[in-house]
Amino acid sequence: MAVTDEAIEKIKEMIVSGTLRPGDQLPRESELAAVLGLSRNSLREAVRALSLIRVLDVRQGDGTYVTSLDPQLLLEALSFVVDFHRDDTVLEFLAVRRILEPAATALAAPRIAEQELDALTARLDALGGTPSVDELVACDLEFHRVIARSSGNTVLSSLLEGLSGPTTGARVRRGLAQRDAVGRTLHEHRAILAALRDRDGEAARSWATVHIASVERWLRSAL
């Protein structure tokens, strides 16, 4: 194991064991290096790496702190990484989204508030029948974000948020290239909303699967 990797593991162990908790300030660099049996250089590299993935927060002139470790914060790195992937890999992200999104939609069925459903319906109504692709994709992102949050599972909603980056590009290209994409998307959104209003988790799951799979099928045929 590389020295920096060892340093990362030792800091992680302190957090997992509860020696360091969310919001805690790390001991001074010299003190922490001595406690962990590390050189100050390797400790510094480990802190830098952990700050990049939002485990640690380095505050200039103040010190280094453990972040809130909130799943959404930690999974932000995922959305950064997936933006670099090619179209063929985007198919794999869409396949993962096809597994997770219906599950989140089914979980949201008994939980999503009526005012959230009203707001999503109003947003769809405001689009009209012939929105631009940009307007439709912006609405689509918000539509799925609200439903995922309503699942009550912060890890699941954060994972889906991280997967939205590469799949957004696919949705835009589909909207531009496929003649009936806009109408089908609006129809599928309304079907999902109807199932959520009925508190029918299985119908919501089914329509979400159809919705995500249609983008995946188009991209697979377009490649």
Side-chain angles (χ1 to χ4, degrees):
M1 183 183 291
V3 175
T4 301
D5 291 340
E6 182 185 359
I8 290 171
E9 282 299 314
K10 287 186 174 182
I11 295 172
K12 186 177 81 172
E13 285 171 15
M14 292 181 73
I15 295 171
V16 171
S17 68
T19 304
L20 288 172
R21 298 180 179 278
D24 283 355
Q25 183 176 12
L26 268 64
R28 288 183 305 173
E29 185 180 271
S30 57
E31 180 184 339
L32 185 58
V35 167
L36 297 179
L38 300 167
S39 71
R40 293 177 69 170
N41 280 341
S42 61
L43 177 61
R44 203 170 293 135
E45 288 299 318
V47 167
R48 185 177 295 115
L50 289 168
S51 68
L52 287 174
I53 60 171
R54 313 301 293 272
V55 172
L56 298 178
D57 178 19
V58 180
R59 303 175 190 173
Q60 201 64 35
D62 184 11
T64 299
Y65 293 80
V66 180
T67 66
S68 66
L69 302 180
D70 181 84
Q72 186 168 352
L73 180 69
L74 298 180
L75 288 167
E76 280 179 5
L78 175 64
S79 61
F80 180 77
V81 170
V82 297
D83 284 339
F84 290 102
H85 286 77
R86 307 177 309 276
D87 278 351
D88 55 344
T89 314
V90 169
L91 277 170
E92 296 184 6
F93 286 115
L94 277 168
V96 174
R97 189 169 169 234
R98 178 165 43 83
I99 295 167
L100 298 181
E101 189 94 43
T105 308
L107 285 171
R111 296 176 173 86
I112 190 166
E114 286 291 335
Q115 51 264 43
E116 294 277 29
L117 292 171
D118 291 342
L120 290 175
T121 301
R123 181 84 184 267
L124 286 178
D125 290 343
L127 282 178
T130 56
S132 70
V133 172
D134 286 344
E135 289 172 333
L136 181 65
V137 170
C139 179
D140 187 69
L141 287 169
E142 182 62 17
F143 181 88
H144 292 289
R145 184 179 293 121
V146 169
I147 292 172
R149 272 204 239 91
S150 298
S151 72
N153 187 313
T154 57
V155 174
L156 181 57
S157 63
S158 297
L159 282 169
L160 287 168
E161 183 73 22
L163 291 168
S164 68
T167 59
T168 297
R171 280 175 275 179
V172 170
R173 292 198 298 280
R174 179 196 179 211
L176 293 171
Q178 191 176 25
R179 184 173 54 83
D180 61 344
V182 171
R184 287 179 63 179
T185 299
L186 292 172
H187 171 69
E188 288 159 3
H189 278 187
R190 291 193 182 280
I192 292 169
L193 282 177
L196 291 173
R197 281 196 186 279
D198 290 341
R199 307 299 173 182
D200 188 337
E202 288 311 305
R205 184 196 304 274
S206 297
W207 274 111
T209 302
V210 168
H211 181 55
I212 305 302
S214 63
V215 181
E216 186 184 355
R217 280 197 307 273
W218 173 84
L219 183 59
R220 193 177 299 279
S221 66
L223 289 176

